[in-house]
Amino acid sequence: MSASASRQAASETLTRKQQRILEYLRGQAVTKTYFKSRVIGDELDLSAKEVGTNMTAVADAADLDIEKWGYSSSTTWKVTTA
């Protein structure tokens, strides 16, 4: 199975909340690299904790490289296109 096919299959197993986070990151990663859980949550009407809790599943299924970058008033995620 190709990498894109396996990521496609993995993204189909995401919950609706996780899909919303992934769609947001895909749309914003074109112009930004760093995202705070708090800001993502504000944009999607989720708490920062909900974003952080779901980010591991999103990172595993995404065609983006997502890594926990730091913590300062909210977890910061480094997101780059793969």
Side-chain angles (χ1 to χ4, degrees), residues 17 20-21 24-25 28 32 35-52 55 73-75 77:
K17 189 180 295 184
R20 288 175 55 214
I21 294 168
Y24 174 82
L25 292 174
Q28 298 295 316
K32 289 177 63 176
F35 298 87
K36 288 197 171 284
S37 290
R38 177 179 39 82
V39 174
I40 296 169
D42 289 347
E43 290 291 322
L44 301 177
D45 199 27
L46 302 170
S47 71
K49 184 175 182 176
E50 287 176 296
V51 173
M55 196 61 86
S73 73
S74 181
T75 302
W77 303 93

Side-chain angles (χ1 to χ4, degrees), residues 1 24 27 31 47 58 60:
M1 182 183 286
Y24 174 82
T31 59
S47 71
V58 172
D60 290 343

